[in-house]
């Protein structure tokens, strides 16, 4: 769907909105802003169920060998002669730092519209609610400068920067919004026999980043007294950090922890710190990229996560899960989707390096 960028009159955040929209509701501050449109003939979001819901999963044919080169910005010149971008991470290594990665896959047949909006909302939440310095937040999107586009090389470098020099008292955040996929588990450390993966911008050439690598990079080195929160907004994301404990919760709030540590397999916990992952759905589910919440494209997980923390600042992990379930469920019902539909059938999941009481432990990033 064609779109353009509009600035919120409340918080000033830029959002991508469909052409023809008469107003937007900011996914960050929730204020409505009129849109002066110069376009005609485009359907408006929310009319006749036109909500542009796209699953955040794309698994290319395993036999396909990509001939296309990775997408680079239009001003990058002759791609064939370009040197791959080299990430320049911030010099700041304070006690609070974050890597926020959002990929819309512009020009791809399975492109998304909401991933960059998700990253901007998450940055606003971290700065305003959790007092993260802007200098300690590393953004990777197609709209950043050439050295900060989310290629596989840059995402790997960003994750290494996130954990570098981490010590007791530090708070780290990794947020990913984009496509995900699954592949057969070759290392035999997955309960369901599949590894989960994220898809960098250049995945057709450079390949996926598997959960095994993400765990080895930012989970296992996490030292005692440090904490990591990952917010993973993609399909098949329930165990994308490969944490050993997965929480199952029902609608009444009863929960239990499942042990996902395979005997004789490599250890997937931390070096004493606490790692927590809040993911969009279970490993077998799809997640949605949708305009159904405000008319602006967002990921269902990111939107429900940000809104829950803005409305109830002292949430427990259990309450957070319940609120996100309710938010997504209300939208699913509103657009006429049932539980058998692949889009927005998602159920947000919590996994952790420790077994905690989710109804007494408050979320503090």
């Amino acid at each position: 769907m064609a779109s353009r960028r509009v600035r919120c009159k409340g918080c000033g955040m830029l959002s991508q909105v469909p052409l023809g929209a008469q107003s937007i509701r900011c996914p960050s501050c929730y204020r409505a802003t009129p849109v002066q449109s110069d376009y005609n003939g485009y359907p408006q979001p929310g009319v006749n169920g036109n909500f542009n819901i796209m699953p955040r999963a794309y698994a290319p044919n395993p036999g396909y060998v990509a001939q296309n080169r990775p997408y680079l910005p239009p001003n990058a010149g002759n791609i064939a002669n370009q040197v791959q971008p080299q990430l320049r991470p911030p010099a700041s290594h304070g006690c609070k730092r974050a890597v926020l990665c959002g990929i819309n896959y512009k020009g791809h047949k399975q492109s998304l519209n909401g991933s960059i909006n998700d990253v901007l909302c998450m940055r606003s939440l971290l700065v305003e609610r959790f007092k993260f310095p802007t200098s300690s937040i590393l953004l990777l999107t197609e709209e950043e400068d050439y050295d900060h586009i989310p290629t596989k090389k840059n995402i790997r470098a960003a994750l290494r920067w996130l954990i570098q020099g981490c010590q007791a008292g530090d708070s780290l955040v990794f947020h990913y919004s984009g496509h995900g996929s699954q592949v057969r588990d070759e290392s035999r450390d997955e309960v369901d026999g599949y590894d989960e993966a994220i898809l960098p911008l250049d995945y057709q050439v450079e390949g996926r980043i598997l959960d095994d690598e993400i765990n080895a990079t930012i989970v296992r080195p996490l030292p005692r007294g440090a904490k990591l929160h990952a917010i993973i907004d993609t399909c098949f994301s329930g165990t994308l950090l490969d944490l050993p404990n997965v929480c199952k919760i029902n609608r009444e709030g009863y929960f239990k922890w499942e042990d996902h540590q395979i005997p004789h397999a490599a250890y997937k916990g931390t070096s004493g710190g606490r790692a927590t992952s809040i993911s969009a759905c279970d490993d077998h589910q799809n997640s949605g990229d949708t305009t159904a919440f405000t008319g602006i494209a967002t990921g269902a997980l990111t939107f429900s996560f940000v809104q829950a923390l803005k409305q109830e600042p002292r949430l427990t992990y259990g309450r957070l899960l319940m609120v996100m379930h309710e938010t997504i469920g209300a939208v699913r019902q509103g657009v006429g989707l049932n539980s058998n539909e692949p889009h927005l059938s998602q159920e947000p999941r919590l996994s952790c390096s420790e077994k905690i009481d989710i109804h007494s432990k408050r979320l503090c990033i």
Side-chain angles (χ1 to χ4, degrees):
M1 178 182 289
S3 63
R4 63 170 175 159
R5 304 192 80 192
V6 174
R7 188 177 299 278
C8 171
K9 289 188 176 181
C11 65
M13 192 185 96
L14 284 169
S15 298
Q16 291 181 311
V17 301
L19 299 183
Q22 295 181 342
S23 66
I24 64 167
R25 186 170 297 278
C26 178
S28 177
C29 71
Y30 220 58
R31 174 171 173 171
T33 298
V35 176
Q36 183 177 357
S37 177
D38 298 324
Y39 304 91
N40 294 307
Y42 291 93
Q44 296 179 18
V47 176
N48 297 324
N50 177 31
F51 285 106
N52 187 31
I53 301 174
M54 168 70 74
R56 291 187 160 193
Y58 182 63
N61 185 335
Y64 170 69
V65 179
Q67 300 299 320
N68 298 324
R69 294 182 178 272
Y71 167 83
L72 295 177
N75 60 358
N78 185 346
I79 294 176
N81 298 321
Q82 282 290 330
V83 176
Q84 282 291 308
Q86 181 67 45
L87 180 72
R88 293 177 286 108
S92 175
H93 267 79
C95 62
K96 289 177 177 281
R97 54 188 180 272
V99 169
L100 313 181
C101 179
I103 314 176
N104 280 353
Y105 308 90
K106 182 179 178 181
H108 193 284
K109 65 179 182 180
Q110 297 287 341
S111 63
L112 299 170
N113 292 315
S115 296
I116 295 176
N117 287 339
D118 288 344
V119 161
L120 298 177
C121 288
M122 188 62 65
R123 179 175 62 179
S124 173
L125 178 74
L126 293 179
V127 171
E128 297 173 8
R129 169 72 177 83
F130 294 105
K131 309 305 178 186
F132 273 60
T134 55
S135 60
S136 293
I137 299 177
L138 176 55
L139 264 62
L140 298 177
T141 78
E142 292 114 307
E143 295 189 353
E144 299 302 306
D145 61 58
Y146 179 63
D147 292 331
H148 289 81
I149 61 175
T151 62
K152 183 175 183 178
K153 181 178 179 180
N154 279 352
I155 295 174
R156 283 174 157 175
L159 293 178
R160 291 194 297 269
W161 169 82
L162 182 66
I163 196 70
Q164 182 181 356
C166 181
Q167 57 189 354
D170 287 358
S171 178
L172 313 180
V173 172
F174 172 49
H175 173 230
Y176 173 79
S177 178
H179 279 315
S181 68
Q182 286 184 313
V183 297
R184 288 283 184 184
D185 171 30
E186 300 294 338
S187 56
R188 298 184 178 180
D189 60 359
E190 294 281 352
V191 171
D192 62 357
Y194 288 91
D195 280 316
E196 287 67 49
I198 61 175
L199 302 186
L201 190 60
D202 56 351
Y203 75 92
Q204 288 180 304
V205 173
E206 298 298 330
R208 308 165 174 87
I209 299 178
L210 296 183
D211 51 7
D212 292 339
E213 179 179 345
I214 297 173
N215 179 278
T217 304
I218 62 175
V219 173
R220 270 180 273 176
L222 194 70
R224 185 174 302 278
K227 57 187 175 183
L228 164 71
H229 284 88
I231 299 92
I232 308 297
D233 201 343
T234 187
C235 298
F236 318 125
S237 55
T239 63
L240 209 142
L241 256 66
D242 259 359
L243 297 174
N245 304 297
V246 176
C247 182
K248 298 292 186 178
I249 184 172
N250 63 18
R251 294 180 181 179
E252 288 71 41
Y254 293 103
F255 72 95
K256 66 176 181 178
W257 288 99
E258 292 184 351
D259 187 357
H260 278 237
Q261 180 67 47
I262 302 293
H264 311 299
Y267 176 64
K268 294 300 182 77
T270 70
S271 296
R274 188 174 77 244
T276 306
S277 176
I278 300 163
S279 53
C281 57
D282 218 334
D283 283 344
H284 66 279
Q285 290 181 322
N286 286 322
S287 65
D289 180 89
T290 177
T291 57
F293 292 105
T294 65
I296 299 174
T298 60
L301 174 81
T302 301
F303 178 85
S304 59
F305 177 82
V306 170
Q307 290 305 312
L309 286 172
K310 288 192 172 185
Q311 293 168 8
E312 299 184 42
R314 293 177 58 81
L315 282 173
T316 63
Y317 288 96
R319 176 62 180 160
L320 172 66
L321 287 175
M322 298 298 288
V323 170
M324 290 193 297
H325 275 276
E326 291 167 2
T327 301
I328 295 172
V331 169
R332 183 191 306 127
Q333 184 177 7
V335 299
L337 298 178
N338 60 52
S339 59
N340 295 320
E341 291 285 350
H343 312 326
L344 290 186
S345 62
Q346 64 195 80
E347 298 175 353
R349 291 299 184 197
L350 175 72
S351 58
C352 193
S353 57
E354 305 172 5
K355 294 179 181 179
I356 61 174
D357 183 347
I358 66 171
H359 292 311
S360 64
K361 190 73 172 179
R362 296 188 184 278
L363 186 147
C364 183
I365 296 178

